[in-house]
Amino acid sequence: MTEKYVLGIDQSTSGTKALLFDDSGNLICRSDLPHRQIINDKSWVEHDLTEIFDNTVKVVTQVISNAGVDKAKIAGLGISNQRETVAIWDKATGKPIHNAIVWQCSRGEEICNHIAQLGMSEMVREITGLRLSPYFSAAKIAWVLRNTDTANKQLCAGTIDSWLIYKLTGEFKTDYSNASRTQLFDLKRLKWSREVCEIFGIDTSILPQVCDSNSCFGYTDFSGYFDLPIPIHAVMGDSHGALFGQGCHSPAMMKATYGTGSSIMMNIGNEPLLSDRGVVTSIAWGMQGKVEYVLEGNINYTGAVLKWIADDLGLIESVAASSQLASSANPTDETYLVPAFSGLGAPHWDSEARAMICGMNRTTGKAEIVKAALECIAYQISDVINAMLETAGIGGESLRVDGGATRNEFLMQFQSDILNLPVIVPKWEELSGIGAAYMSGIALGLYKKDDVFVRLQGKQYEPTMSEEARQKKHKGWRNALGMVSKEL
């Protein structure tokens, strides 16, 4: 058998990484480059699109060079990308007309407020599966079109995957997962919604062709690096890539990504379900002309809580020290931390709520506050998962997890306990890029789906907490939420 390799590119909010896998699906090398975070006095967040593309080319050349493999043996690649972030460029020149507007940026809030005042919020949700919000791409695209000179330009507007595909191949395409997060895509008709686009003042002609996530998006030589072009044979938003990489290919399978915030997803199969419990509906991926759907909840403060107690409060020397300190805390202490620093996200959605530490007594010390900080991450994720299970009318079997915080043994055990479900931590952390690379390798015929995901199996945590203790802790958390939110 001829030795072959597959590339995974994960273009994230903070940087771009390239992952190199052998023909058995083993990760053999990784290369990363950060990019600038362009933030103004209004806290608007932008990225330099040209810098992102240049870094993408650089990390690919670096990872192949560092691995010492023959570049002629690269069979193809898959791309995962930061979602909702908007790129708009001139089709004739291939040059951006504006910096990328990042998913974190809320500059489209006035546009969303105006649409809400017209009474169109529910129509947008019913068509797109998403709550009307400047978080999604639609309001960002609308803002750029209203605030940038677009005269005499034939525009291309898309997400970061579309930008990279265009620069690498000349094709203007996206996949179902990314399209479903723009708030412009009809989940049932599987095409751009003219009605929603008109509401935002966006012409559908400037949007990319929507393709299956495992289709061939074009061929690239990475600016002349490869002697023969290689195919881009998978594209997914990063959370969708992690869901696929975790092997969550059947209904009721769930994953949680622990980053600065968290994305929690549950595969719900081939029919969309709209939730009235505070979670949204998106497309997991499309393959062979069929799509699968997900329920999803996003939380603003999970890993960021640990950074806050380490860097701002100085309670621990590093985030890594939190597990040991929390384990030494008084297990009967009833301190709760509700990290509503910028309001509560899914599934509660109260932008007016503010953070609070409550339930302390005279013996509460540093260890107990750190324990509360770790536990609040698990409580928030549990709230989202319970909302998903209630929406779908099913019971959960396990939670698959990824991200840096999965190294925290106290958090992972408490997550298992409070959910009363097994929590499965994979062998490797780079699940978004792994998902894209594996999907590409399967499409190329290099990997067998039934075999390749077995390699990711890692540590499993089992619940040990009594039902009485679990219910008592849940009640305390609900009481703490009620203190910070008039809505709960």
Side-chain angles (χ1 to χ4, degrees):
M1 181 178 176
T2 304
E3 186 181 48
K4 292 287 185 181
Y5 298 89
V6 176
L7 283 166
I9 295 173
D10 182 23
Q11 202 301 296
S12 71
T13 309
S14 58
T16 307
K17 66 175 69 76
L19 309 168
L20 189 63
F21 300 86
D22 65 17
D23 49 20
S24 296
N26 295 305
L27 176 61
I28 61 171
C29 196
R30 168 179 167 170
S31 180
D32 302 67
L33 281 174
H35 56 256
R36 291 177 297 144
Q37 306 297 313
I38 305 167
I39 306 172
N40 70 7
D41 55 6
K42 297 179 182 179
S43 296
W44 290 358
V45 189
E46 300 180 358
H47 291 159
D48 183 331
L49 284 163
T50 301
E51 180 184 14
I52 284 175
F53 170 69
D54 289 345
N55 282 359
T56 301
V57 174
K58 288 176 183 176
V59 292
V60 165
T61 60
Q62 286 175 3
V63 77
I64 294 172
S65 175
N66 292 344
V69 303
D70 182 355
K71 61 186 177 181
K73 294 181 179 179
I74 307 297
L77 71 143
I79 296 174
S80 64
N81 58 280
Q82 55 171 309
R83 303 179 305 164
E84 298 96 17
T85 297
V86 162
I88 306 181
W89 64 96
D90 184 339
K91 190 173 185 179
T93 64
K95 293 182 179 179
I97 67 165
H98 198 281
N99 281 335
I101 310 297
V102 180
W103 60 271
Q104 299 159 313
C105 187
S106 62
R107 72 184 69 189
E109 187 168 7
E110 287 186 11
I111 294 170
C112 289
N113 289 342
H114 176 67
I115 292 171
Q117 289 166 7
L118 295 175
M120 295 181 176
S121 300
E122 185 58 22
M123 187 189 87
V124 170
R125 189 180 82 94
E126 287 180 357
I127 293 174
T128 68
L130 305 174
R131 296 166 57 97
L132 181 64
S133 172
Y135 177 90
F136 302 109
S137 311
K140 303 179 196 301
I141 295 173
W143 187 94
V144 174
L145 296 179
R146 296 179 190 190
N147 291 276
T148 309
D149 180 12
T150 61
N152 302 317
K153 292 183 174 69
Q154 185 179 356
L155 298 180
C156 294
T159 41
I160 292 293
D161 59 305
S162 296
W163 166 248
L164 292 178
I165 292 166
Y166 187 83
K167 293 294 288 184
L168 290 169
T169 71
E171 301 283 351
F172 185 35
K173 296 178 178 180
T174 190
D175 91 299
Y176 282 110
S177 71
N178 279 293
S180 75
R181 299 296 294 182
T182 61
Q183 200 156 63
L184 296 170
F185 195 71
D186 189 320
L187 288 190
K188 295 178 181 176
R189 296 178 181 175
L190 299 179
K191 63 181 182 179
W192 298 117
S193 169
R194 291 193 179 277
E195 301 97 317
V196 177
C197 286
E198 285 176 5
I199 291 171
F200 282 97
I202 298 167
D203 193 317
T204 57
S205 67
I206 71 172
L207 301 174
Q209 176 187 353
V210 184
C211 305
D212 278 345
S213 307
N214 66 342
S215 62
C216 181
F217 290 82
Y219 289 78
T220 178
D221 63 6
F222 279 90
S223 300
Y225 175 71
F226 289 101
D227 297 326
L228 295 174
I230 61 173
I232 301 173
H233 231 306
V235 168
M236 283 183 287
D238 49 13
S239 289
H240 312 256
L243 188 75
F244 190 82
Q246 289 276 26
C248 297
H249 306 148
S250 302
M253 297 186 75
M254 305 178 292
K255 74 89 187 175
T257 298
Y258 297 73
T260 302
S262 283
S263 164
I264 303 98
M265 274 186 173
M266 182 173 75
N267 187 322
I268 55 172
N270 56 16
E271 291 291 335
L273 290 173
L274 290 186
S275 174
D276 58 1
R277 291 172 171 83
V279 293
V280 302
T281 308
S282 300
I283 295 174
W285 45 71
M287 294 191 289
Q288 284 75 52
K290 297 180 181 179
V291 301
E292 293 184 48
Y293 294 89
V294 292
L295 292 174
E296 180 175 4
N298 294 96
I299 300 168
N300 294 331
Y301 283 89
T302 50
V305 177
L306 302 182
K307 188 172 175 59
W308 175 66
I309 64 171
D311 297 351
D312 297 332
L313 299 189
L315 295 181
I316 49 178
E317 292 183 4
S318 67
V319 169
S322 61
S323 182
Q324 184 174 357
L325 186 58
S327 296
S328 72
N330 180 355
T332 65
D333 186 87
E334 296 182 349
T335 300
Y336 288 87
L337 166 60
V338 182
F341 298 104
S342 56
L344 290 171
H348 307 297
W349 298 108
D350 183 357
S351 61
E352 300 301 318
R354 286 298 174 263
M356 177 184 290
I357 300 176
C358 61
M360 293 184 289
N361 60 46
R362 182 59 186 85
T363 63
T364 299
K366 179 166 63 173
E368 286 71 29
I369 293 174
V370 171
K371 178 172 79 76
L374 284 169
E375 289 177 346
C376 82
I377 297 172
Y379 283 125
Q380 290 182 95
I381 287 172
S382 176
D383 285 350
V384 171
I385 288 173
N386 288 331
M388 290 177 174
L389 295 174
E390 289 168 12
T391 297
I394 57 176
E397 294 183 1
S398 65
L399 176 66
R400 303 182 182 220
V401 297
D402 58 90
T406 60
R407 295 191 295 270
N408 191 302
E409 293 188 354
F410 179 91
L411 173 58
M412 292 298 100
Q413 184 59 56
F414 188 76
Q415 186 73 80
S416 176
D417 284 336
I418 210 64
L419 277 173
N420 197 25
L421 291 174
V423 169
I424 303 169
V425 183
K427 181 169 61 175
W428 297 315
E429 293 179 12
E430 302 89 347
L431 267 297
S432 296
I434 286 172
Y438 279 13
M439 181 177 281
S440 177
I442 293 166
L444 290 163
L446 198 62
Y447 302 150
K448 290 183 179 179
K449 188 175 179 180
D450 293 339
D451 298 337
V452 71
F453 292 96
V454 175
R455 299 180 181 281
L456 291 174
Q457 293 179 356
K459 187 170 183 177
Q460 182 163 317
Y461 294 81
E462 296 287 344
T464 59
M465 185 180 291
S466 71
E467 184 60 25
E468 180 183 1
R470 184 179 301 109
Q471 291 300 328
K472 183 179 179 181
K473 288 180 177 294
H474 269 301
K475 182 179 179 181
W477 171 249
R478 287 193 296 269
N479 290 340
L481 288 175
M483 293 181 194
V484 307
S485 173
K486 298 176 182 177
E487 305 296 323
L488 301 173

